Amino acid sequence: QVQLVESGGGLVQPGGSLTLSCAASKSIVNFNVMNWYRQAPGQQRELVAAITSGGSTNYADSVKGRFTISRDNAKNTVYLQMNGLIPEDTAVYYCNAQKYFQYWGQGTQVTVSS
């Protein structure tokens, strides 16, 4: 079992930046993939970014070139650097860890508005 705690969300203007953090209660190298998902009101939860235990990354087309996922294994933490934010990025962002099962954090709210 692992506990995941997201932080770093908030209210930003369009074009602004935020960095989200996902702190895990144990080593993240135990998991095949760490993911960031998001869910906007009235919409399905979608995969935003993923990073494997080996460091390979993947992104949703909607965020490519704007978001960067990274990890610090020593700190048991995964990050999502979000640049050039647009109103469509407004959502609750969830950290997810995957191996035999999937584990979820409680989410952190990101609101992009002028």
Side-chain angles (χ1 to χ4, degrees):
Q1 295 294 122
V2 63
Q3 295 180 2
L4 306 173
V5 180
E6 304 96 335
S7 62
L11 174 64
V12 297
Q13 294 184 340
S17 298
L18 284 174
T19 299
L20 306 183
S21 297
C22 172
S25 61
K26 64 180 181 181
S27 178
I28 60 176
V29 302
N30 293 332
F31 300 95
N32 302 116
V33 186
M34 300 290 295
N35 306 292
W36 284 100
Y37 284 79
R38 69 185 181 188
Q39 187 166 24
Q43 300 187 22
Q44 297 182 8
R45 187 171 298 185
E46 65 172 341
L47 178 64
V48 175
I51 186 166
T52 70
S53 59
S56 298
T57 60
N58 197 16
Y59 300 92
D61 288 342
S62 59
V63 307
K64 283 183 179 178
R66 299 190 298 119
F67 291 10
T68 302
I69 188 171
S70 62
R71 70 182 190 185
D72 187 331
N73 291 340
K75 296 182 178 180
N76 295 335
T77 301
V78 178
Y79 304 94
L80 185 67
Q81 176 66 51
M82 309 165 66
N83 299 319
L85 287 162
I86 59 177
E88 289 75 16
D89 295 321
T90 296
V92 177
Y93 284 71
Y94 297 92
C95 184
N96 166 269
Q98 181 177 350
K99 192 172 184 179
Y100 306 114
F101 304 96
Q102 293 193 25
Y103 305 91
W104 297 90
Q106 294 298 308
T108 185
Q109 177 71 49
V110 172
T111 302
V112 184
S113 177
S114 60

